[in-house]
Amino acid sequence: MLVRNLDFLSIPKEFAKVEIEIYDKKSIALVYIENKGYSLVLKDENVINSVFLLKTDIIPSNVNGHSDREDFINVIKMLLDRIYSVSDIKEYEKQHQEHVFLRLMDMLNEGNGVEMISEENSKIYTDIEKGFMKLEIDIMDNKINALNSSISDVSSNLQSTVDNIEENKWGNKIKKSIDQNNWG
């Protein structure tokens, strides 16, 4: 019998979502999934253009000095670049990615403009839920593949070592035989 506990796949029944308009009715929404990470959503009016999942343990109240901070900001920069790529806007009028990141986190932390979304009131909830489940499974697959690769490397190295030892034993036996019979 196989038994598997899938608690690691379960996620909260509600997510906190904040959203800021960036330019020309295009906005970025940040969805916080407690103990899992975040989802960044690029929207054009109410149409969702892109959804990114970020598996991280950054919490809205403590974003400074976290190792994932720069990667998080780079994803925001990519979304901002998409927004600004189709417009003719001066560089100094563009919002900076770190500023957008800090604003979104402050909104979550302070509870300003937070909308609680769930399966009942938001389609994006289901997309994020399924996405995080798939992400967790992909992470497990990667770990299993890395483990299998390591086992294979150790196995081949072990076989090589055994072959070297056997070769040395035969070489030593032949050398002893030559030395004992004074053939050399």
Side-chain angles (χ1 to χ4, degrees):
M1 170 173 54
L2 288 173
V3 178
R4 177 154 301 156
N5 182 352
L6 296 179
D7 286 344
F8 73 96
L9 291 177
S10 64
I11 58 177
K13 298 300 175 201
E14 282 189 321
F15 304 151
K17 181 183 113 184
V18 293
E19 188 172 332
I20 56 174
E21 188 169 324
I22 302 296
Y23 178 77
D24 195 30
K25 297 185 180 180
K26 293 175 179 62
S27 60
I28 294 177
L30 178 66
V31 180
Y32 177 53
I33 300 94
E34 195 172 346
N35 300 320
K36 293 290 180 188
Y38 296 85
S39 180
L40 278 166
V41 182
L42 177 62
K43 295 171 68 176
D44 189 352
E45 292 189 51
N46 285 329
V47 177
I48 295 171
N49 288 340
S50 293
V51 179
F52 289 86
L53 299 177
L54 294 90
K55 184 166 176 55
T56 179
D57 58 356
I58 292 176
I59 55 173
S61 61
N62 188 14
V63 296
N64 295 324
H66 195 283
S67 60
D68 292 339
R69 177 186 165 114
E70 286 306 311
D71 292 335
F72 202 120
I73 291 171
N74 286 335
V75 175
I76 291 174
K77 181 183 183 332
M78 184 181 63
L79 295 176
L80 290 172
D81 288 346
R82 266 195 193 169
I83 290 170
Y84 296 134
S85 70
V86 294
S87 62
D88 189 23
I89 184 173
K90 295 182 178 169
E91 192 64 36
Y92 62 84
E93 292 178 356
K94 295 178 181 178
Q95 294 189 45
H96 190 268
Q97 59 271 13
E98 190 164 359
H99 174 75
V100 171
F101 169 74
L102 292 172
R103 247 176 62 204
L104 288 166
M105 288 298 182
D106 281 347
M107 290 172 72
L108 280 172
N109 192 38
E110 296 167 2
N112 296 335
V114 173
E115 175 188 352
M116 297 308 288
I117 62 172
S118 66
E119 191 173 14
E120 290 79 33
N121 68 4
S122 175
K123 181 199 176 307
I124 193 75
Y125 175 92
T126 305
D127 294 341
I128 293 170
E129 180 182 45
K130 288 177 184 173
F132 262 103
M133 285 185 200
K134 175 79 170 99
L135 181 62
E136 293 285 350
I137 291 169
D138 288 347
I139 289 170
M140 281 185 5
D141 283 346
N142 287 341
K143 287 180 180 178
I144 289 168
N145 289 338
L147 182 61
N148 286 338
S149 175
S150 295
I151 290 169
S152 175
D153 290 346
V154 167
S155 176
S156 68
N157 288 340
L158 182 61
Q159 186 60 47
S160 175
T161 303
V162 167
D163 291 345
N164 287 340
I165 290 170
E166 286 177 356
E167 196 173 290
N168 286 339
K169 280 184 179 178
W170 276 105
N172 288 338
K173 284 181 181 179
I174 292 172
K175 186 177 178 191
K176 271 186 185 178
S177 188
I178 289 173
D179 287 345
Q180 285 175 352
N181 296 317
N182 292 326
W183 291 343

